[in-house]
Amino acid sequence: MSQQLTWPERLGAAIGMQAAIEELDPEQTFKGTVPRLKATEDAIAAFESQRGELLPAAYRDFLQCADGWELAYFTMDIFGLPELQGAGRWQHAQDLLSSYEAEGDLEESELEATDLLPVAAGQGSDLVVIIRDGRPDAGTVIWFDGGEYGRYTDFAEFFEIVVGMLQAWVEQQQAASVEP
């Protein structure tokens, strides 16, 4: 995927991949979901004002098209304003962040927990954070899963990687279904 895609195009591609996964999953272990409706500009601005910090641009753009997405990537939820305010997997994300800090993973990545805003978490050890505004490399997204799994220039790149991983899973399942 190209960074030239719009958020509606990115979201459409992800929804399409989820539908394909659901179709290829006869045991229904994965149930496709869709993103929540967009957050309003007023709601985003109020959140930023309350927190005293701006959200990174690409993540803010995502929120203006989808206010989060439960089970966006298998068991991983991508956070919207409800999670950023404590709902859903927010506490799990905070626990994971504390765990990664205690295990030294943040130090290895030259970060501190206060530099990071969780923006996604899975049922297990998957934690996706974004470097907060005003910090070096602000807007950079880091995916932790037993250590640093991936680093992306912004939330758009992270999201496109996720869609690419969903597409790879679909292609792998399709190839396996045609093999004798």
Side-chain angles (χ1 to χ4, degrees):
M1 280 191 208
S2 162
Q3 289 280 8
Q4 302 305 314
L5 293 178
T6 65
W7 273 106
E9 291 168 332
R10 289 180 187 110
L11 292 167
I15 291 167
M17 287 301 108
Q18 283 211 356
I21 289 169
E22 190 171 351
E23 186 177 305
L24 291 166
D25 181 20
E27 290 86 34
Q28 295 296 303
T29 54
F30 179 76
K31 183 73 175 152
T33 62
V34 294
R36 289 193 292 260
L37 296 177
K38 67 182 181 175
T40 66
E41 176 59 35
D42 288 345
I44 296 169
F47 174 82
E48 291 174 326
S49 178
Q50 175 191 24
R51 295 293 171 109
E53 69 177 302
L54 298 176
L55 294 170
Y59 182 61
R60 196 175 203 287
D61 292 345
F62 165 77
L63 293 175
Q64 290 175 324
C65 289
D67 192 8
W69 190 344
E70 293 177 18
L71 305 177
Y73 179 71
F74 297 101
T75 68
M76 183 186 292
D77 295 347
I78 297 177
F79 295 170
L81 294 178
E83 290 81 11
L84 295 179
Q85 295 168 328
R89 290 203 174 136
W90 179 255
Q91 187 56 54
H92 179 62
Q94 293 300 309
D95 294 344
L96 285 172
L97 186 57
S98 295
S99 176
Y100 283 124
E101 184 175 41
E103 293 169 7
D105 292 311
L106 299 185
E107 187 176 337
E108 286 179 24
S109 296
E110 299 180 6
L111 298 164
E112 295 181 20
T114 56
D115 296 331
L116 306 172
L117 176 67
V119 292
Q123 289 177 347
S125 59
D126 283 307
L127 174 67
V128 179
V129 297
I130 195 163
I131 299 177
R132 292 177 182 269
D133 190 52
R135 298 345 191 260
D137 297 324
T140 299
V141 173
I142 304 168
W143 186 341
F144 290 96
D145 185 13
E148 189 172 315
Y149 175 77
R151 190 176 283 237
Y152 314 97
T153 57
D154 63 13
F155 191 78
E157 181 185 17
F158 159 74
F159 193 88
E160 289 182 7
I161 292 295
V162 167
V163 174
M165 291 168 73
L166 290 171
Q167 182 175 359
W169 190 92
V170 167
E171 290 169 358
Q172 181 183 38
Q173 297 305 308
Q174 289 170 333
S177 70
V178 295
E179 291 177 6

